[in-house]
Amino acid sequence: MNITDWKNLPFGYINTDYNVRCYYKDGKWGELEISSSEYIVMHMAATCLHYGQEAFEGMKAFRGKDGKIRVFRWKNNAKRMYDTAKGIKLAVVPEELFKKAIFTTIRLNERFVPPYGHGASLYIRPLLLGTGAEVGVKPSKEYMFMVFVTPVGPYFKSGFSPVDIMICRDFDRAAPLGTGCFKVGGNYAASLTSLELAHEKGFATTLYLDAKEKKYVDEAGPANFFGIKNNTYVTPESRSILPSITNMSLIDMCKDLGMKVERRPIPIEELPTFEEVGACGTAAVITPIRKIVDPVQNIFYDYCKDGKPGPVSTKLYNWLTSIQTGDAEDKFGWIEILD
Ligand code: PLP
Ligand code: COI
């Protein structure tokens, strides 16, 4: 497939030339294999199919003005996949194997890394599956680790312009002491009904509240939540949200800008006090939030009366994306250039 319209790429799946696979058997990982098939064959009793014993990751590679390919913070994704594997009893993927798999896949699909200046990137999707046949509920003895890539545009159609989101009280994506802090498919399955409801009502995504008390903000669909006020960046502390690498990056950037940073529970009563709010993640980058609507309590907050993203979100977005493409200095050491 040849892509010409890089500017209008959706956040969707486009087949590329190759993916890589590695199999875990008898307590060890085998050699990395290169495949050009989009399909995988597995046992019908594989634990990933029945009991959701699977993990995934998401990160991006960017083409700079100099034509070089830059991978953003892959070590943090390797660490998160390790934590997820420990969390749901998958075989862990060593950092070296993770690195070899993602860099091999990017190199084999170099022609799909979008050119500089189109707001597009190469999305990298590692996948770890329990493939052993079990019928009793227990961890698999066999695993498959694979990586595929696909060129993507912005996750929310509007790109860097404000979206409206809906507070979700009737559904939770994760239990208080459940798997919300791990990147497992089950969390996303649990989010689909509420996500569809939000879409039907014209919202970009849902804002989940803490599952235990419904008093605090958890996260914004497939992205973390942040609010800005009084030169302070505030983001939820919660056991049931995904530890976002984008959020960690924004925290470091805000500190560097001399802002205060607070990671703590955010009561919903505090929402009207923010000057700016947004969602952040690999796919969402920084998505400014215009309105938060609570259909149950009939509450409505409007953060961009002029329809434009706020100044702090704009500054953070421009800086983060410039680091990613190499336009700004990589002062935090987040970039690895493909050689
Ligand atoms: N929260 C959820 C539920 C996500 O799926 C993601 C995406 O990975 C994020 C937050 C953002 O995390 P990151 O910035 O590491 O992509
Ligand atoms: C990401 O931002 O990488 C995600 O995983 C979000 C995704 C579920 C679309």
Side-chain angles (χ1 to χ4, degrees):
M1 172 166 193
N2 280 317
I3 302 163
T4 47
D5 194 6
W6 296 102
K7 232 186 169 62
N8 293 310
L9 274 184
F11 188 92
Y13 175 79
I14 293 174
N15 186 27
T16 56
D17 292 333
Y18 301 101
N19 54 78
V20 302
R21 296 144 190 236
C22 192
Y23 300 91
Y24 180 94
K25 215 176 165 181
D26 300 327
K28 56 179 190 302
W29 289 103
E31 289 300 312
L32 205 62
E33 296 173 15
I34 295 169
S35 170
S36 56
S37 169
E38 291 176 272
Y39 295 91
I40 52 184
V41 175
M42 72 172 75
H43 197 284
M44 62 186 177
T47 60
C48 68
L49 298 176
H50 296 255
Y51 303 127
Q53 206 203 3
E54 71 89 40
F56 69 100
E57 267 305 327
M59 74 208 99
K60 281 177 173 171
F62 303 83
R63 177 94 60 186
K65 218 184 249 169
D66 54 8
K68 292 187 181 152
I69 298 169
R70 289 167 170 79
V71 186
F72 187 69
R73 300 197 79 165
W74 67 268
K75 279 191 187 185
N76 296 81
N77 294 85
K79 167 74 169 62
R80 193 168 62 191
M81 183 167 254
Y82 181 95
D83 293 342
T84 300
K86 287 282 184 201
I88 64 158
K89 301 287 173 195
L90 297 153
V92 298
V93 176
E95 190 185 270
E96 265 315 297
L97 172 59
F98 190 93
K99 179 179 186 183
K100 193 172 175 194
I102 62 166
F103 280 83
T104 305
T105 317
I106 300 167
R107 196 177 304 285
L108 289 168
N109 294 292
E110 260 186 62
R111 71 187 184 95
F112 292 97
V113 183
Y116 172 82
H118 291 78
S121 56
L122 189 75
Y123 187 71
I124 306 158
R125 176 51 66 84
L127 197 58
L128 176 57
L129 308 172
T131 49
E134 300 288 349
V135 176
V137 179
K138 60 172 89 138
S140 173
K141 294 187 192 65
E142 293 177 14
Y143 294 89
M144 175 187 196
F145 171 56
M146 69 173 300
V147 177
F148 69 83
V149 293
T150 193
V152 294
Y155 186 75
F156 292 111
K157 273 191 222 89
S158 50
F160 186 63
S161 57
V163 299
D164 298 341
I165 67 171
M166 184 185 106
I167 289 183
C168 174
R169 287 171 186 277
D170 297 339
F171 297 89
D172 297 309
R173 68 177 279 283
L177 298 176
T179 56
C181 57
F182 303 126
K183 205 155 169 68
V184 298
N187 297 337
Y188 298 82
S191 75
L192 291 176
T193 305
S194 52
L195 188 60
E196 286 286 284
L197 281 173
H199 286 165
E200 278 164 22
K201 294 190 161 92
F203 296 96
T205 192
T206 40
L207 181 64
Y208 294 101
L209 303 183
D210 77 284
K212 195 171 179 186
E213 298 184 276
K214 299 279 187 206
K215 280 189 182 164
Y216 304 98
V217 174
D218 241 0
E219 60 184 331
N224 276 186
F225 177 87
F226 67 86
I228 287 160
K229 62 176 174 186
N230 309 327
N231 200 33
T232 307
Y233 179 93
V234 190
T235 194
E237 172 84 68
S238 163
R239 163 73 166 73
S240 55
I241 64 175
L242 194 75
S244 157
I245 295 157
T246 314
N247 200 0
M248 284 162 45
S249 310
L250 297 181
I251 288 172
D252 287 350
M253 291 161 66
C254 285
K255 286 183 182 162
D256 195 78
L257 290 169
M259 292 173 64
K260 276 190 268 159
V261 170
E262 293 175 8
R263 196 190 264 285
R264 57 165 170 80
I266 301 181
I268 39 175
E269 295 74 36
E270 191 180 345
L271 285 175
T273 68
F274 288 112
E275 294 151 17
E276 296 176 40
V277 295
C280 63
T282 299
V285 195
I286 293 176
T287 301
I289 294 167
R290 179 174 53 188
K291 289 179 193 159
I292 301 180
V293 176
D294 179 349
V296 174
Q297 299 206 346
N298 215 7
I299 302 170
F300 165 92
Y301 312 103
D302 188 348
Y303 295 94
C304 336
K305 303 237 163 31
D306 59 358
K308 291 203 207 88
V312 179
S313 305
T314 306
K315 190 191 278 183
L316 292 172
Y317 177 88
N318 289 337
W319 191 14
L320 178 68
T321 52
S322 304
I323 292 175
Q324 290 172 329
T325 54
D327 287 345
E329 182 206 345
D330 176 26
K331 69 183 288 186
F332 303 100
W334 290 336
I335 301 294
E336 184 146 347
I337 298 182
L338 221 74
D339 41 40

